[in-house]
Amino acid sequence: MTQTPTPTSVQGPAGPPQLSEPTPRRSSLTQNVLPSWLWMALLAAAVVLGAALSALLGFNLATWFIFTAVIYVASSYIVTRTRVNRRRATDALWTNLIYLAFTLAILPLISVIWSVASVGIQGLMEPGFLSSDMQGVTGLVDEGSQTEGEPVLGGIRHAMIGSLLITLAATFISVPIGLMTSIYLVEYSRGGPLSRAITFFVDVMTGIPSIVAGLFAGAAMAWFLSVFSGLTGLLSTQRSTLGVTAAIALSVLMVPVVVRTTEEILRVVPNELREASYALGVRKWRTILKVVLPTAISGIASGVTLAIARVIGETAPILVTAGFVVNTNWNLFQGWMTALPVYIFRQFQNPTSPNFSDPSEQRAWAAALVLILIVMGLNLFARLIATLFAPKQAGR
Amino acid sequence: MSSSLTQSDKRGVAGDRVFSALTVSAGVIILLTLIFVVLFLAANSRDAVYQEEQGGWIVGAFFDYAYPLVIGTLIASLIALVLAAPVAVGVALYISHFAPPRWSKSIGYVIDLLAAIPSVVYGAWGMSFLGPELIPVYNWLHENLGFIPFFAGDPSQTGRTIFTAGIVLGVMILPIITSVCREIFIQTPKLHEEAALALGATRWEMIKMSVFPFARAGIISGIMLGLGRALGETMAVALVLSPGMLTASLISNGNSTIPAEIALGFPEAPPGSERQAQLIAIGLVLFVITLLVNMTARWIVSRHKEFSGAN
Amino acid sequence: MSKRVDAVDLNVYYGDFLAVEGINISIDARAVTAFIGPSGCGKTTFLRSLNRMHEVLPGARVKGELLLDGENIYDPGVDPVTVRTQVGMVFQRPNPFPTMSLRENVLAGYKLNGARLSKSESDDIVESALSSANLWAEVKDRLDKPGSGLSGGQQQRLCIARTIAVKPDVILMDEPCSALDPISTLAIEDLIGELQQDYTVIIVTHNMQQAARVSQKTAFFNIAGTGKPGKLIEYNDTSAIFNTPNEKSTEDYVSGRFG
Amino acid sequence: MSKRVDAVDLNVYYGDFLAVEGINISIDARAVTAFIGPSGCGKTTFLRSLNRMHEVLPGARVKGELLLDGENIYDPGVDPVTVRTQVGMVFQRPNPFPTMSLRENVLAGYKLNGARLSKSESDDIVESALSSANLWAEVKDRLDKPGSGLSGGQQQRLCIARTIAVKPDVILMDEPCSALDPISTLAIEDLIGELQQDYTVIIVTHNMQQAARVSQKTAFFNIAGTGKPGKLIEYNDTSAIFNTPNEKSTEDYVSGRFG
Amino acid sequence: ACGESNTPAAEGNADGGDSASSEVAGTLVGGGASSQEAAMTAWTDGFTSVAPDAQVNYASVGSGGGRDGFLGGEYDFAGSDAAMSDDEWESSKEICGTEGAFHVPSYISPVAVAFNVEGIDETLNLDADTIASIFAGEITSWDDEAIAEHNEDMELPSTPISVVHRADDSGTTENFVDYLATASDVWDYEVSGEWPGEIAAESAQQTSGVVGLTSETDGAITYADASQIGDLNTVAVQVGEEYVEYSPEAASQAVASSSAVEGQASNNMAFELDRRTEESGAYPIVLVSYHIFCNEYPEQETADLAVAFGEYVLSEDGQATAEAAAGNAPISDELRDGAMESLSAITVAE
Ligand SMILES: Nc1ncnc2c1ncn2[C@@H]1O[C@H](COP(=O)(O)OP(=O)(O)OP(=O)(O)O)[C@@H](O)[C@H]1O
Ligand SMILES: Nc1ncnc2c1ncn2[C@@H]1O[C@H](COP(=O)(O)OP(=O)(O)OP(=O)(O)O)[C@@H](O)[C@H]1O
Ligand SMILES: [Mg+2]
Ligand SMILES: [Mg+2]
Ligand SMILES: O=P([O-])([O-])[O-]
């Protein structure tokens, strides 16, 4: 039980191992801390310098931001590096980079939201925008709005209803299937061929172009209906352009997202919790439902929201599977339906009045705003559910 | 207390059976659906590689058609990934370990908003706002870094380039990667974080020591999901890009991606034609790309399986 | 309510690594049996094979027979869940459910199995289980707080309470008192003494005085060297093991002055 | 290499809950100090406040002064990282990094300095740290396996090895031997004895014999009742605490026959 | 923003129904060319005032998608910028009886060559060769001699030319490229709905996209459905010795001088457009957009709806509605008469 100090282990961790003098390592605890005003000063200097440099190139906000960020990050690294030590400098560098990453992520968000809201809010303010559909709104109406300043008519009631119904149906199809599959992958399979096959195909599915999903769902539904009516003699004129076909198409897109996100989150649930439950004689399925899932619920909610957000904005697959109508349809199993993204896309791309497209654009942005708000609402809802089941705050 | 081991409670056993059967059947449903998707694609893409009139197999012609699209797709996704992945992981870390705890939930929520924006809107944003903003940047890149082949070609005067598309894709996949990573980062056991801190680790070192290794598989999964989205994104790319032939330059017009090509070509493709088959066939090619990428990722993860953070 | 446990030529593996080899042992019902032995010799591993918890780990498997009142729990027809309802276990590292309150943690064995309990029934169970584990006084005011906000010893007692609340036939305890102060230790030892009247109790302990105090029989495990499997060296009445061991290695081990 | 530790009117909170109150204590350098007391009395909590690990928990905070060689570690200007490099800690619940191999686990702290270690240097460090923790023989053949595939006691020793590998000035050990067999316990106690020559060592233990064996001074903590804060009741030379305690409660506690 | 519904229909729609209201009822579904969407919105709306119990749904899934859906039995009629191939017609017999499906022109649209160049504020004269060279990227500046030649008294700026083409496959592209290929000697790319991949140029989706991009970009030139070009200036195309500006009449004339496609249904009204026409006053870059109907429908209701809707679209009323709402060029009376006759051939399967 000897402690033969190796040559390197004589000095403390803070000193480089090459220096072997037994100098007292740190004289003070505060030595490693730089005064907090320093960061303010550095930042201020960076802002000023950044502005100057940017002005050299013909001033604009973007270059100002870039120069400021670079100068600040670099200078605080150098300062920490020279005044304190390399580790602290690395820490400061990464901390700054992470803050920078956050800022970078926020910028496009603000920009996109601004693009949407600046026009969209006005459209949303039009009376009846949410409560009416597009029946009777033709190019003439829009021409009147644009040239004579009449109110912009038409709304998105049909599209909101279509989107919500289709997305909910898709969620009801794909969340149970996706979640159950990831449970199978994490809890049941032991790396057998089935699980490998599933993983394999789910992986492939993550990159499926959405239009392909739509084509597939349309073909599958048509095939199913023809077989069904062939067998039963019912539904002779049933066509496959239905809300539910769109829901199937969206499910094909949703499932891989649900599987992959939930799979990852289930995998990191500590095994000791499973063991604790098994040891109480709790059956596996109950363990999964009552111990594993609640522990992972917040991650699952995130995954599901992600999946919903992914598909609720899809255009092409819904257009080819559910069609596009101007009136409201509540029935997923009968007739065509319009979804918000399809509506937005058509209003952008083929304005109701090709030469007077402002009203269409206004409706499109407003619809986009509504779509974002809907997803936000769903997100909030998912989080609410998650917090209801979430782990009581974890201690150590 | 039951007296015998074998005479166990039937209902309980049935519950287990039913549940595991449910999970298996969910898996099988996915499997079957996908097999059908693949069959559907394969059946419908036959004409792209086999044409009676043209003397049988025309794989070469199809290859000539497909490879620029494959490369374009990869370039756009790669740009998106390179831009988004580090930022996304950074943002996830910010939310899980840097932001004031009171705020972190709301901040995560704000980032999730990015995921809520429909791709049509991203497309419209990219073509009407971002693209024009980038024109001076492209000009600058061309003037100062023109010797690099990526910046060689004539800079686009509309900003509708593969680079712009890559940026838009990057913004789109950012919240996906962030969301997956964040959830995993949060799950890092306190115990292991404390172990690192107690060794005198700085926050960053603690993250490198306990958070990243713990979340490795999750990060890769998140990135793969994001990449899948980037590879398969249709509308945004179709709107932002000025598609054309393959060029090495990222800042001039040209280049296209597989989903954009499908979206732009399919509506007008005559039924049952070679063109239609061709478009479906490149869809199949995209499948293969996705698969290869994912297999690589899985392989990386599986090499460290026994070092799982769950233990 | 209690069952005897017999192992016949039991080998326990982690993948290809044979961790415990050739165990033959007969453990009495209504008695306390202590497993002692150096760290890493396979006590936990063997204990976990007694209620089929071992096989939960990927790649882990067991060969040989393990008889619970004469029935082999490793028979193909046997449902591990039935085994585990009859053989309860307290883990070496306390693992309360972080998603549940203290109260729910104690009731976990019922609640997780979907049992419907009236408020008063469950109150009774919670109080009696926590009291037996000597935790009631400390936590009775915060039964709705999460299980993870407890001190190490409190967590361990919580896990004990959780296990005894479901009244299994056999109770396995892996170092139940390792994180406990003398007072709690006394309480747990008293509890073990009580349990023994109705249940079969098996404890792993490093504390030889504790083994001497609470157990009727003691099994000494040892390991010949790194990578070698752990073996059962000697199994006998506790007094015999501590006073007149047959094996040299047992004597060496128990004559250490520690614990 | 070693530092004295002084607490001045230290209060430790979990959110609003005052867990430890009014601690005033002077802990000698180059000595072993033992903390004893019933479960839940705040030993771990206080220990964690000595290297600012306490504040890692959300809502947890500390009031008062804690002086390390006269410098208050809770001064606003102080960087907790610096404190923690100087004050190392072994946790009550072993926590090896499951994502690292055994070898990496031991070197984890060392690597932090970014010191580029040659293969042989790092081999030396791993071997010496693991040998001190009495784990070398058991694991030397599987240094590249994950840290989680160890028995409970092995994990605990691995964590000890990891902590001493970085040679902090002060070493805090929260029940370092709770999961250990007598042989390992002896080894760890020997290790503590050696460490004491260069370092300040503070251990929490429930084992009074152990406290008596290894420590020069002992602090007894107690808690008046549920929801009350833990307090330092008596602090004195170990022999005094065990033989001639000043307080009644100390005497009651140490005269228990357990441990 | 909530409140009363604000659609015109909800405010009472008694004004539109001046023609005799029809008895037909039910839903007719169609899909196809997106270029028809604006007109279709007007038609479907107008049709409800003629036949209050009837509804027409139209999905703008593209001409190919529309024909695909039509042949697959998903749609009752298709809107298409391009006529069916013979193969497609053959397969239409499966759902439309022995005579198969047939085309009727729903509108004729001149494809304008439109540009946005600072300094050129009037119509530019060009011939087919020059247009082809511009779009092929061989002429790169607006003051090129080839352009100046045709516009002798015009001051041309030296702005570089940015060609803007359709990014998506489109009927407009097909007709335009067909014109370039037949009328000029310079263009030797394959004719299809896809812009030739060899030419590097700017592009955008849909007519609104190219028009928008052209309007934003100085020096840009594009081709687009003339009804949607907004305030862009256009090119007068050399036909014979004169320069012809696009106009509904000029477009109709170009169609009138073309021959019908042979070999399909007897009442088929698809055209083989003559791009090389020398006829005075004909504008050769035209696009005929068709509606494709079945000659035989399985049910009376659908057949009635198809006839009624087809007739409404062709009626003066229908054409005027579309012109007002979407700016389409109305078809000539001659064409209308022929088309009405074709429609009357629709029957119900026994
Ligand atoms: N994370 C936490 N949140 C809230 N209260 C806590 C937390 N951890 C511990 N406590 C409470 O603080 C008090 C002191 O706990 P501490 O862990 O310091 O006890 P201890 O003396 O180490 O006990 P043991 O010997 O059982 O480990 C106990 O009442 C405990 O319930
Ligand atoms: N999950 C695992 N995978 C592989 N080997 C393991 C695993 N868990 C334990 N082992 C090994 O099996 C052997 C027996 O371990 P076990 O946990 O049974 O020891 P133990 O007697 O309980 O020791 P302790 O008193 O330290 O808890 C040890 O060599 C250990 O390293
Ligand atoms: Mg053990
Ligand atoms: Mg403690
Ligand atoms: O009619 P388009 O296909 O050119 O839109």
Side-chain angles (χ1 to χ4, degrees), chain C residues 39 94 137-138 157 182 206 226 253, chain D residues 39 93 137-138 157 179 182 226 253:
Chain C
S39 174
E138 279 160 72
R157 283 175 282 157
H206 283 121
T226 326
Y253 190 78
Chain D
S39 175
R93 228 175 85 151
E138 280 160 71
R157 284 175 284 158
T226 325
Y253 189 78

Side-chain angles (χ1 to χ4, degrees), chain A residues 396, chain C residues 150-153 179, chain D residues 39-40 42-45 92 174-175 204 206:
Chain A
R396 68 195 120 92
Chain C
L150 293 180
S151 82
Chain D
S39 175
K43 304 178 296 296
T44 300
T45 307
Q92 183 162 10
D174 200 351
E175 310 196 20
V204 171
H206 284 122

Side-chain angles (χ1 to χ4, degrees), chain B residues 268, chain E residues 34-35 81 166 169-172 206-207:
Chain B
E268 297 291 326
Chain E
S34 49
S35 54
D81 287 343
R166 288 284 292 271
D169 265 15
S170 96
T172 313
Q206 299 284 1
T207 303

Side-chain angles (χ1 to χ4, degrees), chain C residues 14 39-45 92 175 206, chain D residues 142 149 151-154:
Chain C
Y14 289 103
S39 174
C41 69
K43 303 178 299 295
T44 300
T45 306
Q92 185 163 10
E175 311 198 19
H206 283 121
Chain D
R142 43 171 169 160
S151 82
Q154 287 167 339

Side-chain angles (χ1 to χ4, degrees), chain B residues 158 242-243 253 264 267-268 276, chain E residues 61 63-65 68 169 202-203 205:
Chain B
T158 57
S242 219
N253 51 46
L264 294 174
E268 297 291 326
Q276 203 184 36
Chain E
V61 292
S63 302
D68 212 3
D169 265 15
E202 297 294 342
S203 62
Q205 241 189 104

Side-chain angles (χ1 to χ4, degrees), chain A residues 124 126-128 131-133 135-139 153-154 237 239-241 319 324-325 327 336 345-346 349-350 352 354-355, chain E residues 1 3-8 29-30 34 37-38 41 45 55 57-60 73-74 76 205-206 208 227-228 230 299 325:
Chain A
L124 204 53
E126 297 286 349
S131 59
S132 51
D133 50 30
Q135 256 175 316
V137 180
T138 64
L153 299 187
T237 61
R239 294 193 157 123
S240 64
T241 306
L319 177 61
F324 180 61
V325 285
N327 55 342
W336 295 13
F345 185 65
R346 307 268 23 124
Q349 293 271 288
N350 284 65
T352 310
N355 287 317
Chain E
E4 288 299 286
S5 166
N6 69 358
T7 54
V29 295
S34 49
E37 185 168 333
T41 314
D45 185 53
Q55 195 193 332
N57 290 340
Y58 183 82
S60 3
E74 206 46 46
D76 298 322
Q205 241 189 104
Q206 299 284 1
S208 61
S227 64
Q228 301 188 27
E299 276 158 44

Side-chain angles (χ1 to χ4, degrees), chain C residues 106-121:
Chain C
V106 177
L107 292 173
Y110 294 94
K111 282 284 168 65
L112 290 180
N113 268 324
R116 236 175 277 284
L117 297 173
S118 73
K119 176 93 175 66
S120 68
E121 271 174 324

